[in-house]
Amino acid sequence: MNLASRMSTLAAEGAYAVLSSAQELERQGKSIIHLEIGQPDFATPAHIVRAGIAALRAGKTRYTPPLGVWELREAIAKQVSAARGKETSSGNIAVTPSGKTAIFAALAATVSAGDEVMYPDPGFPTYRTLIEFFGGKGVPVPLVESNHFSFDMRVFRKKFTRKTKLIILNSPSNPTGGVIPKRDIEEIADTVKGRSCWVMSDEMYSRMLYDNTPYASIYSVPGMQKQTIIVDGFSKTYAMTGWRLGYVVVPEAIIDRIDYLLTHTVGCTAAFVQEAGVAALRGPQKASEAMVKEFKKRRNIVVPLLNAIPGVRCPVPDGAFYAFPNISSFNKSSKEIAHYLLHKAGVAVLAGSDFGRYGEGYLRISYAAKLPILEEGINRMRKALEKLRTSNKTCYSSSE
Ligand code: PLP
């Protein structure tokens, strides 16, 4: 029996494939350092867990309205209004059972067959997959290392056409940790404002910024709220990856459509999870802030260690918890290097090309792991890459 043709657009995500190879090696008794996983290594803050348990005990185990409970929508709107400097109300908010569902809803709402969608490359693999799933035509815009891994604006200017129906932004970025500078946000806004083109701004890591890096959201640009869908969630900020809680911020004019989409797909987000979300937003932010402080400390150790490996160049990421070192000097594909590091050094990292073809020449290293683990992982990488470099040299000199 044939499946619908759209099903052939789906493929495994690099991170899951590497994780299962790494786990297989562990089953064989090998020691593996996991630097491939994109989730905080911290427990969900205790007051959030307590709120979830209390909600379960209080019988919050039934359906809620598809757009979410009013208290959570209110709390999200308040947070968005304060953070983005634009008045936003619960009428702009739809709660979803994950950031991924929020992306699904945003694309389902905006992309028709044949529409062009510009997206960051390297970028979160779900973007390209879902663009294709909805029959859109993906237009990758390369991210440039020398511009905080923001869009190559020359390509953006050239590729933006009347057919562009959606532009996907992600800042801070997975996989690069780059933060889009304000001038690029303003140029993108100037380009699309008033045109029949949406912007989906994935702001999942926007609370994870270092060194007072200024944050520019296209939602804050006057006039852009009408065309922008913010995707955000609780997974990263509150270490809640397994709870599955996200949301979209949309213009009020389309909230009914999102309501019906959620009605006929997920129904609603788990009631007790939403209560935990209210506690996350209204409760103390200390645990979340402490997490960011710890990530910054790790970044400040990890990046110099990576740069100390001959042949590796690692820009300092301004946000998220990923380092994206350039390993192109080894003259091997990033997949070969990632495979070599996993099998020869016992370090699981992701190939940059898992995030798109412009990710070739890079590795993604998640520093969501404890410092001794990170240090051991990079130490193993250093030894293995030095060996590779020596064997490269020997091989070149013997063939000269
Ligand atoms: N957006 C980005 C850029 C991400 O990196 C992730 C998760 O890794 C998500 C969205 C989805 O997060 P979740 O579905 O856990 O809320």
Side-chain angles (χ1 to χ4, degrees):
M1 288 287 277
N2 286 344
L3 290 175
S5 58
R6 79 175 74 86
M7 292 302 282
S8 65
T9 63
L10 304 175
E13 207 178 291
Y16 291 104
V18 171
L19 181 62
S20 74
S21 303
Q23 285 171 339
E24 178 52 36
L25 289 170
E26 280 173 326
R27 267 194 294 277
Q28 293 166 17
K30 305 239 163 71
S31 136
I32 303 291
I33 299 282
H34 290 274
L35 306 183
E36 81 280 35
I37 299 166
Q39 65 178 334
D41 54 314
F42 301 99
T44 304
H47 69 282
I48 301 176
V49 175
R50 275 198 303 272
I53 294 171
L56 276 169
R57 293 224 161 93
K60 300 275 171 81
T61 53
R62 310 174 76 98
Y63 294 137
T64 75
L67 292 174
V69 298
W70 183 85
E71 288 79 5
L72 181 56
R73 293 174 69 205
E74 265 296 300
I76 293 169
K78 207 166 151 208
Q79 138 83 18
V80 173
S81 303
R84 301 287 165 261
K86 290 285 163 205
E87 201 46 49
T88 304
S89 78
S90 55
N92 299 104
I93 310 296
V95 177
T96 54
S98 73
K100 279 193 172 168
T101 322
I103 298 172
F104 186 92
L107 267 76
T110 56
V111 180
S112 301
D115 284 342
E116 288 188 5
V117 181
M118 299 175 99
Y119 67 96
D121 183 342
F124 188 46
T126 296
Y127 306 146
R128 200 193 67 186
T129 304
L130 288 184
I131 293 165
E132 289 173 5
F133 189 76
F134 289 115
K137 181 170 175 281
V139 179
V141 184
L143 302 185
V144 272
E145 186 183 323
S146 57
N147 184 24
H148 304 267
F149 284 114
S150 180
F151 276 172
D152 182 332
M153 292 305 286
R154 283 167 313 176
V155 176
F156 172 76
R157 284 173 212 131
K158 213 162 93 193
K159 296 277 172 83
F160 180 83
T161 70
R162 268 185 299 156
K163 285 197 209 142
T164 311
K165 186 68 191 299
L166 174 69
I167 296 167
I168 297 177
L169 304 177
N170 175 217
S171 174
S173 143
N174 176 8
T176 70
V179 174
I180 307 177
K182 190 167 182 217
R183 58 161 198 280
D184 289 356
I185 291 285
E186 283 172 348
E187 181 175 345
I188 296 164
D190 278 348
T191 309
V192 303
K193 206 187 292 174
R195 297 209 191 198
S196 173
C197 177
W198 289 94
V199 177
M200 185 190 94
S201 181
D202 181 336
E203 303 185 354
M204 194 59 81
Y205 297 93
S206 58
R207 303 265 299 271
M208 295 183 163
L209 293 163
Y210 311 118
D211 307 326
N212 301 318
T213 298
Y215 187 67
S217 165
I218 200 156
Y219 192 78
S220 307
V221 178
M224 280 306 295
Q225 302 78 37
K226 282 186 282 197
Q227 291 173 247
T228 303
I229 298 179
I230 296 179
V231 163
D232 206 337
F234 292 69
S235 285
K236 318 286 170 170
T237 309
Y238 296 105
M240 290 177 73
T241 47
W243 294 74
R244 312 313 292 137
L245 185 60
Y247 58 89
V248 283
V249 184
V250 301
E252 214 158 338
I254 70 162
I255 196 77
D256 284 348
R257 294 285 124 191
I258 302 292
D259 186 346
Y260 307 147
L261 177 66
L262 295 175
T263 302
H264 297 294
T265 51
V266 296
C268 66
T269 301
F272 54 93
V273 171
Q274 294 190 58
E275 294 295 326
V278 173
L281 288 175
R282 290 195 179 153
Q285 302 298 305
K286 273 209 196 92
S288 200
E289 285 156 14
M291 214 160 64
V292 175
K293 219 163 142 193
E294 176 63 22
F295 282 136
K296 180 180 167 186
K297 186 168 140 200
R298 293 175 187 175
R299 180 203 66 163
N300 290 347
I301 291 170
V302 161
V303 173
L305 283 177
L306 286 167
N307 275 317
I309 303 176
V312 173
R313 182 180 74 229
C314 185
V316 180
D318 296 317
F321 40 69
Y322 305 112
F324 205 58
N326 186 319
I327 41 89
S328 54
S329 75
F330 292 92
N331 293 316
K332 289 202 183 307
S333 74
S334 55
K335 271 220 182 300
E336 284 171 309
I337 301 262
H339 186 268
Y340 169 76
L341 290 174
L342 178 60
H343 291 268
K344 296 284 186 246
V347 185
V349 297
L350 298 185
S353 57
D354 282 337
F355 298 87
R357 72 186 155 107
Y358 296 106
E360 187 49 88
Y362 295 87
L363 296 175
R364 191 194 79 169
I365 289 169
S366 162
Y367 49 90
K370 303 278 175 274
L371 259 180
I373 297 176
L374 288 164
E375 284 166 342
E376 166 68 9
I378 297 170
N379 196 26
R380 288 187 189 187
M381 277 178 71
R382 184 177 49 74
K383 286 189 192 145
L385 289 173
E386 273 170 1
K387 218 182 262 172
L388 186 65
R389 206 170 163 75
T390 320
S391 70
N392 267 354
K393 269 194 199 143
T394 326
C395 139
Y396 288 130
S397 52
S398 61
S399 62
E400 271 165 10

